[in-house]
Amino acid sequence: MTALQEPRTTRHVGPDHLVLSEHPVFRRFWYAVCAVDDVTTEPEPGRRGAAPLHRKVLGTDLVVWRPDPAGPVSVAHDRCAHRDAPLSMGWVADCRLVCAYHGWEWDADGTTRRIPQFPDSPHPTKSGLTMVASTERYGLVWVCLAGPDEGGPITDVPAVPEWDDPAWRRVPEGSWDFDCTAMHLVENNIDPGHVAFVHMNSFGNPDNPELTDQNVARTPYGLITWTDVPVEGRPGETGATVRHTWSQVHLPFSMHLLIRYPDGLGHVMLKAITPVDDRSCVIHQVVLRTDTEADRPAADIRAFDHQVELEDKTLLDRLPDGFPLAQHLNAHAKADKNSLLLRRMYTELVTGQWTPGDPA
């Protein structure tokens, strides 16, 4: 594979900064909102049933619940049509979502099933819920805000080819909240130059910051970059080694990172980054590895990655809100090829010059 040679140019056709709420195209992608195991049907103390979850995606408040223990999750806008109460304050009982304000009830499809004050009267035509497409994959619940009138999802949930391979074990890691844009977090994860400094207390070494040449290329779904990064350790271990890393970005915000170490260990990170709004995001992460629990306990892997995420968070949370697209807004060096292509592809996405699925 040969690296894509990006032309040196300062010409920019598109917005100077990317503000998600200004571009409806971002509603047409799948975003992770929680772990599958987070959505329970077990009654919660102090409620009359199981607790639904509140989540926010692209500024839209959502309620997530599981009507039946053996069935899929349901997702809707977190608003009761009656008096605007948040439905996430209610409960799930007898396979129905119940509003905490007046006790109205809905089934898995958002159809009104009971209004307790007048149970035999016809239901108002506008009493149903505004449902959101959802699916469960890779241990996560994913949603797409765009309905059929908006064209629905542009792509499917990105594939994780190692998921069903018995040679790879799964280590769910949870989620982290960031007070930065989803674009900043994606860019950070394909920036090998920051490792030596931001992660000096985990696996980086500021006395050894030099990098090999980066390779980056477009793909039908976004981009792939591959390079070698010197590191000072890996989960549960210290000692200098090298990460041979292939990072796939499925635009806009999903990532599949494959790391190979010299001793043959394989380590995959599924990074599902979800924009909460224009200024904040959350990352849901699942790791797959070719070793065993006896080789390296899952607790060690989670602890290591928790430290790494907090190191990134400490810096990224202090960045300005705006994510720059125009090249003249920042200085760029040889180590920034990945970032420059990412910013160019975001520009092409919001200006309609490129859509995921188009030929690379």
Side-chain angles (χ1 to χ4, degrees), residues 1 4 54 84 103 124 173 177 182 184 190 195 217 226 264 270 276 279 286-287 318 332 336 338 344 353 360:
M1 203 177 292
L4 179 72
H54 168 263
D84 300 318
E173 292 198 318
D177 297 321
H184 279 113
I190 57 170
V195 170
W226 61 104
L270 164 60
V276 175
R279 297 179 174 85
V286 181
V287 162
R318 300 294 298 276
H332 309 284
D336 298 317
N338 299 346
R344 188 164 298 125
Q353 302 173 62

Side-chain angles (χ1 to χ4, degrees), residues 72-100:
V73 298
S74 294
V75 181
H77 286 213
D78 193 16
R79 171 188 170 273
C80 177
H82 178 217
R83 289 297 180 268
D84 300 318
L87 296 169
S88 55
M89 293 180 66
W91 59 87
V92 182
D94 299 324
C95 299
R96 294 179 181 178
L97 177 65
V98 184
C99 180

Side-chain angles (χ1 to χ4, degrees), residues 184-228:
H184 279 113
L185 187 50
V186 172
E187 185 177 64
N188 169 265
N189 275 276
I190 57 170
D191 172 18
H194 84 285
V195 170
F197 299 95
V198 174
H199 301 300
M200 67 174 71
N201 293 318
S202 53
F203 67 109
N205 181 356
D207 295 324
N208 186 23
E210 292 189 16
L211 300 170
T212 60
D213 281 342
Q214 300 169 71
N215 303 283
V216 61
R218 291 174 178 261
T219 67
Y221 52 78
L223 64 87
I224 182 171
T225 174
W226 61 104
T227 191
D228 296 339

Side-chain angles (χ1 to χ4, degrees), residues 49-64:
L53 302 180
H54 168 263
R55 293 293 186 266
K56 181 179 284 189
V57 177
L58 290 170
T60 301
D61 290 298
L62 303 174
V63 58
V64 184

Side-chain angles (χ1 to χ4, degrees), residues 28-34 36 73 133-145 152-161 163 221 248-256 270-274 284 286 356:
R28 299 186 62 194
F29 294 93
W30 291 98
Y31 302 112
V33 291
C34 63
V36 167
V73 298
S134 61
T135 189
E136 299 173 49
R137 207 166 301 175
Y138 311 127
L140 301 172
V141 176
W142 303 74
V143 302
C144 178
L145 297 180
I154 292 175
T155 61
D156 198 359
V157 173
V160 181
W163 188 259
Y221 52 78
Q248 300 177 48
V249 180
H250 295 257
L251 261 66
F253 312 124
S254 292
M255 306 186 68
H256 176 284
L270 164 60
K271 294 175 174 281
I273 298 170
T274 298
H284 301 267
V286 181

Side-chain angles (χ1 to χ4, degrees), residues 99-149:
C99 180
Y101 199 179
H102 295 94
W104 288 26
E105 300 179 11
W106 298 267
D107 64 15
D109 298 321
T111 302
T112 310
R113 291 302 181 188
R114 185 169 183 265
I115 297 177
Q117 291 79 10
F118 295 96
D120 298 324
S121 297
H123 299 152
T125 55
K126 295 182 179 181
S127 65
L129 304 184
T130 303
M131 302 298 290
V132 171
S134 61
T135 189
E136 299 173 49
R137 207 166 301 175
Y138 311 127
L140 301 172
V141 176
W142 303 74
V143 302
C144 178
L145 297 180
D149 57 327

